Amino acid sequence: MNLGTPGVDALMDSMAGAQIAQFARTIEKLGYSALWFPEAFGRDPFALAAHLLTVTEKLIVGTAIANVWKREPVAMLGGARTLVEMFPGRFVLGLGISHGPMMARIGINYAKPLTFMRDYLARLKEAPYGAAQPSFEGPIIVAALLPKMLKLAGTETDGTIPTFITPERTAQIRAQIGPDKLICLQQVSMLEKDASKARSAIRGLIRFYLGLPNYLQSLRLMGFGDSDFAAGGSDRLVDAMVAWGDEQAIRDRIAAQYKAGASHVCITPLRPEGSAGAWSLAAGGNRAHATPEERALEALAPR
């Protein structure tokens, strides 16, 4: 499994089924190695991953993340191993605990998440699976930002998938989890050279994340404080969380992440109008109707 080439991370719940197939084929055609997607409040991640793997030829598909609160370990293992067996070398199971405020919306008791994940991973290893075994075990990684969850990811799984981290933080994570573990990080980006326009749009997105305790703690580890969190985020914070500028500026950030120790970088482009992920049908179709995100993916495609 070669994840050295950048991939794409996209929430595709706003797309119709036929659009998703078209989008995935375009991502593959552009030369990206992988397509990652989060489990939000919509599609089942394993059904979606099976579809993406079926309609593409070589594209690696990863969950970023599959929510551990929503299914028992035996069900998680069954879904993952089925995909690993049927699509050898093309599926990565990314697990995560999500966030307390988000889980409260669907009635999940978000209690002791670190303990829950530790127990979950132990049960995952012991879960029965009676079908044909894959020729090799597919990678399992955990979304982790804080030291204790990172330690768990490093000792009990194949690595981690963090987001909103600087290259300096990537280097720290690499030092913590060791040289052989995967760091598959999400790099949010915006193709916009006007500083005022870019930062204003980015603040519209990160206000949401500044309300999530895990992200605030992660940002504090990177040296940000209360003054950076006010009014939607200081310029310093905005510039650290999202790579914005021209194509070269974003490519430079991606390169910096690899140099700092990332195994794989998956990019999520934002539109300068301020929307975070309004993906729609255009990929592979009429280029006049391409969304800003899709135009960004074309511009940033691996060379």
Side-chain angles (χ1 to χ4, degrees):
M1 180 179 290
N2 183 8
L3 287 166
T5 302
V8 174
D9 191 320
L11 175 61
M12 293 174 282
D13 281 353
S14 62
M15 291 182 182
Q19 294 174 319
I20 290 174
Q22 193 172 344
F23 179 72
R25 291 189 191 105
T26 298
I27 294 300
E28 183 172 47
K29 184 178 180 181
L30 287 171
Y32 290 99
S33 65
L35 179 55
W36 302 78
F37 61 89
E39 178 179 12
F41 303 105
R43 292 185 176 97
D44 176 83
F46 294 108
L48 178 55
H51 178 62
L52 295 170
L53 290 162
T54 298
V55 301
T56 56
E57 296 180 1
K58 298 180 180 179
L59 195 68
I60 297 167
V61 172
T63 55
I65 48 79
N67 193 319
V68 296
W69 302 101
K70 290 187 177 182
R71 57 188 60 81
E72 285 291 310
V74 65
M76 190 78 82
L77 181 73
R81 279 198 175 162
T82 300
L83 294 175
V84 171
E85 177 202 351
M86 294 185 175
F87 303 93
R90 295 183 58 201
F91 180 69
V92 181
L93 176 62
L95 301 174
I97 56 170
S98 188
H99 302 276
M102 296 174 68
M103 293 300 93
R105 288 173 52 189
I106 55 175
I108 289 176
N109 180 24
Y110 192 85
K112 297 183 178 180
L114 179 66
T115 299
F116 185 87
M117 179 62 86
R118 182 179 292 110
D119 178 65
Y120 193 95
L121 293 174
R123 293 168 62 202
L124 192 70
K125 290 180 179 179
E126 298 299 325
Y129 182 75
Q133 297 293 324
S135 56
F136 67 96
E137 292 291 338
I140 298 175
I141 59 179
V142 169
L145 293 171
L146 304 179
K148 290 182 180 179
M149 190 67 77
L150 282 166
K151 181 179 179 181
L152 183 65
T155 58
E156 300 300 326
T157 77
D158 297 299
T160 185
I161 180 164
T163 189
F164 290 130
I165 62 171
T166 62
E168 293 77 15
R169 180 62 180 146
T170 301
Q172 292 172 354
I173 292 173
R174 172 57 70 200
Q176 179 178 348
I177 70 173
D180 300 324
K181 298 294 183 176
L182 291 171
I183 300 177
C184 301
L185 67 86
Q186 181 188 24
Q187 179 61 65
V188 185
S189 62
M190 180 183 290
L191 270 178
E192 175 54 62
K193 293 185 285 187
D194 184 286
S196 177
K197 188 175 181 180
R199 287 167 174 159
S200 176
I202 292 167
R203 286 187 178 95
L205 166 72
I206 66 173
R207 281 189 179 92
F208 169 75
Y209 292 96
L210 293 179
L212 299 175
N214 288 3
Y215 281 107
L216 281 181
Q217 292 180 63
S218 175
L219 291 168
R220 291 186 188 280
L221 286 175
M222 290 184 277
F224 299 100
D226 291 342
S227 61
D228 293 299
F229 306 145
S234 66
D235 287 351
R236 187 172 77 102
L237 178 66
V238 166
D239 296 351
M241 292 182 73
V242 178
W244 61 267
D246 61 13
E247 176 187 328
Q248 190 58 52
I250 296 172
R251 288 187 182 276
D252 287 347
R253 178 75 68 90
I254 294 170
Q257 293 285 18
Y258 277 113
K259 185 177 181 180
S263 311
H264 174 70
V265 178
C266 47
I267 63 173
T268 298
L270 306 178
R271 58 176 56 192
E273 291 84 353
S275 174
W279 302 93
S280 62
L281 178 59
N286 188 339
R287 307 319 303 150
H289 297 154
T291 65
E293 295 94 337
E294 289 162 341
R295 289 194 292 269
L297 289 177
E298 288 184 341
L300 297 170
R303 294 171 176 168

